[in-house]
Amino acid sequence: MSAAPEGSPAAPNLDVSALTKANDSIRIAAKWLIGSSAAVGAALLAGSQLSNIGKLDWGWRLWVAIGGATVGLIAVIWAIWLATLLLMPVTVTIDRLQEQWKKPTKELKAAVEFLKREPRQLGEWKSPKGLKKAEKEAKQELQDAQERGDEKAKEVSIRTLTKLRSYRRSIQQVAQHKALEARFHDSLRWLVLATGMAALGIVSFAWASNPPAPKTPSADLENAKLVGVDLRDAELNGANLDHTDLTNALLTGADLTDASLTDVTWKNTTCPDGVNSNKAGNTCAGHLGPKS
């Protein structure tokens, strides 16, 4: 008989309270992850109320803002889902361990590998199959003792079954902890990616939905008639000169860097660098800075 007889090794000295505390710690961490992820999602939603996204025109900046918000929310939901998985119970039975002993699935791979590395957790058996066989034989011996009315044999069989069941519980608890631990480490790797996606989405949304205020021109001379005006050495950096008539104007030494010059009339105009617009193709383009 392969059941553990009198004098055989006792069930593994398993500290169940330690495993329970370890599992509780993992689940507490999962609750914190859920709470923090939900807070990020709330911050993203609250931030949308403080943004200027409603003022954006249809264009690339609006699409960047929408895309960033979408990526951020998806990442937050993904992070919450990953953390929620850690709160779900992990059930590992001897039957499942036996079925997956040679080719374990991803869920039980860590548990099976640990038991193979630490065979003492299996007692005197090399695999769950040996323990199941011992239990089967012990049950049969108990049944035979009951049929014979052999109380002593019955008592021995009951003690053997009790010991075997203790082994079973110990192995299952260890396997469940290792499976949960593996799930936690796997989730953490994906949570790092989800966190990065959420950060990228939030930053993109915040940047795109809050464009910089339009630069105020240093001077607004739109549609002005500046025929023959002396603007030598004038500081017109960033000025608005759209549709301005600069016929015969003197701009020697003036600074027109970054000025808006849409549809300007250049006729016999002395450009900032001293070139006459008539000799530069009736424009001062390329001659807008003071001559160095």
Side-chain angles (χ1 to χ4, degrees), residues 27-47:
R27 292 191 168 96
I28 289 172
K31 292 177 181 179
W32 277 104
L33 288 171
I34 292 173
S36 59
S37 299
V40 171
L44 182 58
L45 292 174

Side-chain angles (χ1 to χ4, degrees), residues 30-88:
K31 292 177 181 179
W32 277 104
L33 288 171
I34 292 173
S36 59
S37 299
V40 171
L44 182 58
L45 292 174
S48 66
Q49 305 299 318
L50 303 176
S51 70
N52 295 313
I53 190 170
K55 299 178 182 179
L56 296 179
D57 296 326
W58 286 98
W60 67 269
R61 187 176 283 274
L62 176 61
W63 288 112
V64 170
I66 293 174
T70 301
V71 169
L73 286 175
I74 289 175
V76 167
I77 293 171
W78 185 23
I80 292 174
W81 178 75
L82 287 170
T84 302
L85 287 178
L86 300 176
L87 299 178
M88 298 176 65

Side-chain angles (χ1 to χ4, degrees), residues 12-44:
N13 185 19
L14 178 69
D15 188 348
V16 177
S17 63
L19 285 183
T20 301
K21 288 179 181 178
N23 292 341
D24 288 343
S25 296
I26 290 175
R27 292 191 168 96
I28 289 172
K31 292 177 181 179
W32 277 104
L33 288 171
I34 292 173
S36 59
S37 299
V40 171
L44 182 58

Side-chain angles (χ1 to χ4, degrees), residues 197-230:
M197 287 178 57
L200 178 62
I202 291 172
V203 170
S204 298
F205 171 76
W207 175 81
S209 61
N210 293 285
K215 188 176 180 180
T216 303
S218 59
D220 190 355
L221 300 172
E222 185 175 6
N223 296 314
K225 299 294 183 181
L226 302 178
V227 177
V229 172
D230 186 348

